[in-house]
Amino acid sequence: MNVKKMTIRISLVAIMSILILATAITILSVSSAFFRNSINWVIEKLTQEVALHIIDKLKNNEKGEKNISFTREFIKEFDISPNGKILLLDDAYYIIAASEKTEGAPIPQRFENMNHKIESVDDPLLTKSFDRFLKNEKKKDRKLFKRKFDHFTFWHDWKKYISIYEPFEISPGKTWVVAIVFPFSDFFQSITRNNIILYSITGFFVLLAFFISLNISRKISKPLTALAEATDKIRNFELEPTGHINSYLVEVENMSKAVDNMRSGLKSFKKYVPAELVKELIKLNKEATLGGEKKNMTIFFSDIAGFTTISEKLTPEELVALLGQYLGEMTRVLLNHKGTVDKYIGDAIMAFWGAPNDLSDHASWACKSALAYQERLAELGNEWRSMNKPVFTSRIGINTGDIIVGNMGYEERMNYTVIGDAVNLASRIEGINKNYGTQIMIGEETYSSVSSQFETRLIDIVAVKGKEKGTRIYELIGTRGNIHKQKSDNRICYHEGLEYYLQKDFEKGKKLFSDALALYPEDDASKVFIKRCDEFLKNPPDKDWDGVYIAKTK
């Protein structure tokens, strides 16, 4: 079932508006009922004191209806209101006598010695009143209508009037009618004015209460909305402080403090787990469970060269501070290049690309990250050198392949990590750097994926420790077209020398490696192969030698 939802602010305004309107309606209803009852009471009193008094006088007149002059004189004595009219009608509704006033002054008898029916007189007010009276007379016998029809209100010339028609029997079988017509304002002006004031005050306070409720609801809903936004950011592992959310409500204030504490706790927790992984699990609405999947990914290992020697020269506090700065800066580089940092192994960093989020060009991002890594490390080295601090040199190994990625461990403690032969090879490739004096080495499958984007150099065919089959390993030099001529010429000579080396022509190989070293004296890899060529010239390899170097260390 779909349920329509609304914001808390709308809900609060709606509830408070309903309460305000209910209160206002109650006040106005009571006022209206009192107003109606006041009118009915006045009319009843008027009927009793005027109409019935007239009727009583006429009935007790010894000369009866034949003495018209008595009736007319008697009617004139009555003062109904400053602008009221009193008429005495016979059974055919001819006007027998009348009393009229305008602003308190009597009007000369318009109907004296005349034979006028009320419905035909030249007085729109009287004719309209009488017409309404006749209509009410027709409704008296209808069962649907139960109320009295002897008095009623009507409008004339934008003014409200009250009419009273009270019939009485003047003689057996003969009925006369006392008709009274007067402006509503003559009797109820003060009540009407008071009602208008009451309605206006009520309306003003309704509007005031409505705006107050808007303000109160805003003060209640604003911190709640801010809390919702804050918790949503926390849900996405966006843990930067947004400022304490203040509220007049103790419960909301306590909730805000709890959210601040949760943010602080998760900020610490974020340092132990890959944030992207948690975001992905939240996005998928999945609970972390043991298990993994096979994916093609790129693995990254880095290690600080000679870290043990460096650590011996520093106090524990200095070492922790320097290593912390290094790991922090390098981690930011990896994260900025879409990497997932798996773990820190002492001074080593393990990361991967392609999980938890799919990344089609994961090998390329890993290589970009490695180059940025070394660039940032060089900048740090310049800073540390100026401060007389030890300078770190890192070696990086990158490899691509099919591996298992997922939650490893047991039900109560897991680590989102990768396992597989390609992972082990990445670790071995990182260690092989020290044999050739290189900084970044990539595996064969990584090279196949990125060779068109980066400058590389085939270093060797190596069977890493624990393996018999050789794999080609490459030095990552820079992005495509970003290579010095000296290094480029060195690479050409090196590749030619390696070809002769693999063909067992160690004399030519040695010469080309020597040329390569002359072009780039810092090339330790050429030195390695010059030494090998010398050894093979003294002790040639077996006939089935395929050029694979068997690594003896990790």
Side-chain angles (χ1 to χ4, degrees):
M1 181 177 67
N2 293 327
V3 180
K4 290 185 178 179
K5 296 180 174 63
M6 64 177 70
T7 65
I8 189 169
R9 186 172 184 184
I10 293 175
S11 302
L12 288 170
V13 170
I15 292 170
M16 296 181 78
S17 297
I18 290 171
L19 292 174
I20 293 165
L21 289 174
T23 304
I25 289 170
T26 302
I27 293 171
L28 295 178
S29 298
V30 170
S31 172
S32 179
F34 176 77
F35 186 51
R36 287 195 304 272
N37 290 335
S38 298
I39 293 172
N40 290 334
W41 181 81
V42 169
I43 291 174
E44 287 176 5
K45 283 291 183 181
L46 194 63
T47 302
Q48 292 173 4
E49 293 181 7
V50 178
L52 297 182
H53 185 64
I54 292 171
I55 292 167
D56 185 59
K57 279 284 186 181
L58 291 175
K59 283 185 175 181
N60 293 329
N61 179 21
E62 296 178 356
K63 297 180 180 181
E65 77 279 7
K66 294 178 182 179
N67 191 344
I68 299 301
S69 60
F70 166 79
T71 303
R72 287 172 177 163
E73 291 301 322
F74 173 70
I75 291 294
K76 287 179 183 180
E77 295 175 1
F78 277 90
D79 185 10
I80 181 69
S81 77
N83 299 285
K85 301 176 186 287
I86 302 175
L87 297 96
L88 186 62
L89 310 177
D90 65 10
D91 55 353
Y93 302 119
Y94 281 92
I95 299 174
I96 299 171
S99 171
E100 298 179 273
K101 286 188 178 183
T102 299
E103 298 180 357
I107 298 176
Q109 178 55 264
R110 290 190 291 163
F111 309 111
E112 193 170 350
N113 300 320
M114 296 182 184
N115 193 20
H116 283 299
K117 259 191 170 184
I118 189 172
E119 60 190 24
S120 60
V121 297
D122 185 19
D123 188 334
L125 175 63
L126 292 178
T127 55
K128 194 169 187 178
S129 169
F130 183 70
D131 181 61
R132 178 70 182 275
F133 165 70
L134 291 179
K135 289 179 180 178
N136 286 346
E137 285 293 294
K138 294 177 181 178
K139 295 178 182 178
K140 279 189 173 181
D141 296 331
R142 297 183 187 179
K143 293 181 180 179
L144 193 62
F145 295 93
K146 301 298 182 183
R147 62 185 181 88
K148 288 181 68 177
F149 290 93
D150 54 354
H151 69 266
F152 53 86
T153 60
F154 66 97
W155 289 84
H156 176 69
D157 286 341
W158 303 98
K159 196 172 184 180
K160 191 175 183 181
Y161 287 86
I162 295 178
S163 284
I164 302 171
Y165 285 79
E166 188 68 32
F168 66 96
E169 193 177 69
I170 192 69
S171 62
K174 199 172 189 80
T175 302
W176 284 5
V177 176
V178 174
I180 302 172
V181 181
F182 58 92
F184 186 87
S185 59
D186 281 5
F187 282 90
F188 304 106
Q189 186 172 5
S190 60
I191 297 178
T192 303
R193 184 177 61 251
N194 292 339
N195 268 4
I196 292 172
I197 293 171
L198 176 63
Y199 295 160
S200 299
I201 292 173
T202 302
F204 170 77
F205 279 105
V206 166
L207 290 175
L208 180 63
F210 180 75
F211 283 112
I212 291 173
S213 69
L214 278 176
N215 188 46
I216 292 173
S217 65
R218 183 184 65 81
K219 289 183 177 180
I220 293 174
S221 64
K222 188 176 180 180
L224 288 174
T225 302
L227 277 174
E229 292 173 354
T231 52
D232 195 52
K233 285 183 178 180
I234 291 173
R235 179 181 180 273
N236 294 317
F237 256 44
E238 298 173 19
L239 304 177
E240 292 306 313
T242 56
H244 182 70
I245 299 167
N246 295 311
S247 173
Y248 293 103
L249 299 178
V250 174
E251 293 80 3
V252 177
E253 183 73 14
N254 291 338
M255 193 183 301
S256 176
K257 291 178 181 177
V259 169
D260 290 341
N261 293 336
M262 180 171 62
R263 183 187 290 110
S264 299
L266 287 175
K267 199 169 183 180
S268 299
F269 178 69
K270 184 181 179 180
K271 298 175 182 179
Y272 293 92
V273 297
E276 290 300 320
L277 168 63
V278 179
K279 287 181 184 179
E280 188 67 17
L281 289 173
I282 292 172
K283 182 180 177 182
L284 298 174
N285 197 24
K286 287 170 59 178
E287 183 182 352
T289 56
L290 287 174
E293 59 176 324
K294 187 176 182 181
K295 293 185 74 173
N296 188 266
M297 295 171 57
T298 299
I299 315 303
F300 172 106
F301 279 92
S302 73
D303 196 16
I304 298 174
F307 182 72
T308 302
T309 303
I310 295 172
S311 63
E312 290 172 351
K313 299 176 181 178
L314 300 171
T315 65
E317 292 79 12
E318 291 173 334
L319 180 63
V320 169
L322 198 64
L323 183 61
Q325 186 180 1
Y326 163 79
L327 293 175
E329 292 291 337
M330 298 306 105
T331 299
R332 275 187 281 276
V333 170
L334 298 174
L335 294 177
N336 290 339
H337 287 79
K338 302 186 179 182
T340 298
V341 176
D342 185 316
K343 60 177 70 72
Y344 304 112
I345 310 166
D347 59 300
I349 301 175
M350 176 182 173
F352 50 79
W353 281 258
N357 296 320
D358 291 333
L359 197 62
S360 59
D361 52 348
H362 47 80
S364 175
W365 277 106
C367 292
K368 291 176 186 175
S369 179
L371 293 171
Y373 189 107
Q374 295 291 13
E375 183 179 352
R376 179 60 186 141
L377 184 57
E379 294 172 353
L380 276 178
N382 291 333
E383 293 176 18
W384 291 344
R385 198 174 287 109
S386 67
M387 300 166 64
N388 295 320
K389 292 182 178 180
V391 175
F392 291 166
T393 300
S394 282
R395 296 185 289 252
I396 296 172
I398 297 173
N399 189 46
T400 302
D402 291 336
I403 57 175
I404 303 299
V405 58
N407 296 311
M408 311 297 171
Y410 66 104
E411 287 294 339
E412 292 165 5
R413 188 177 178 84
M414 306 176 197
N415 180 28
Y416 186 81
T417 188
V418 289
I419 57 173
D421 190 57
V423 179
N424 298 331
L425 182 56
S427 177
R428 299 290 187 268
I429 290 173
E430 179 276 313
I432 287 174
N433 275 289
K434 61 186 175 183
N435 296 339
Y436 301 93
T438 53
Q439 288 188 327
I440 307 173
M441 201 87 81
I442 64 175
E444 195 168 348
E445 190 172 334
T446 304
Y447 169 80
S448 298
S449 299
V450 303
S451 58
S452 62
Q453 304 172 50
F454 298 91
E455 299 290 351
T456 59
R457 175 174 66 151
L458 175 61
I459 292 293
D460 200 356
I461 303 173
V462 179
V464 298
K465 187 173 177 61
K467 295 287 183 180
E468 295 181 359
K469 185 179 178 180
T471 181
R472 292 174 180 266
I473 55 174
Y474 298 80
E475 179 187 12
L476 179 65
I477 301 171
T479 55
R480 176 61 69 182
N482 187 18
I483 184 173
H484 296 298
K485 186 177 186 303
Q486 183 185 19
K487 187 74 173 177
S488 178
D489 293 342
N490 163 269
R491 181 175 61 179
I492 293 171
C493 285
Y494 186 91
H495 280 168
E496 290 179 0
L498 191 59
E499 287 179 10
Y500 282 111
Y501 170 83
L502 294 174
Q503 294 170 13
K504 301 181 185 179
D505 191 342
F506 302 115
E507 284 285 353
K508 290 183 179 179
K510 179 181 177 181
K511 182 180 184 310
L512 287 164
F513 285 128
S514 297
D515 291 343
L517 184 61
L519 290 168
Y520 189 66
E522 298 177 7
D523 183 17
D524 290 346
S526 293
K527 295 177 184 178
V528 168
F529 275 94
I530 290 172
K531 184 178 180 181
R532 283 191 199 173
C533 286
D534 284 338
E535 291 176 354
F536 282 131
L537 285 171
K538 292 178 182 178
N539 299 298
D542 297 336
K543 291 182 180 180
D544 59 350
W545 180 77
D546 56 3
V548 175
Y549 174 74
I550 307 298
K552 298 178 176 61
T553 61
K554 294 183 179 180

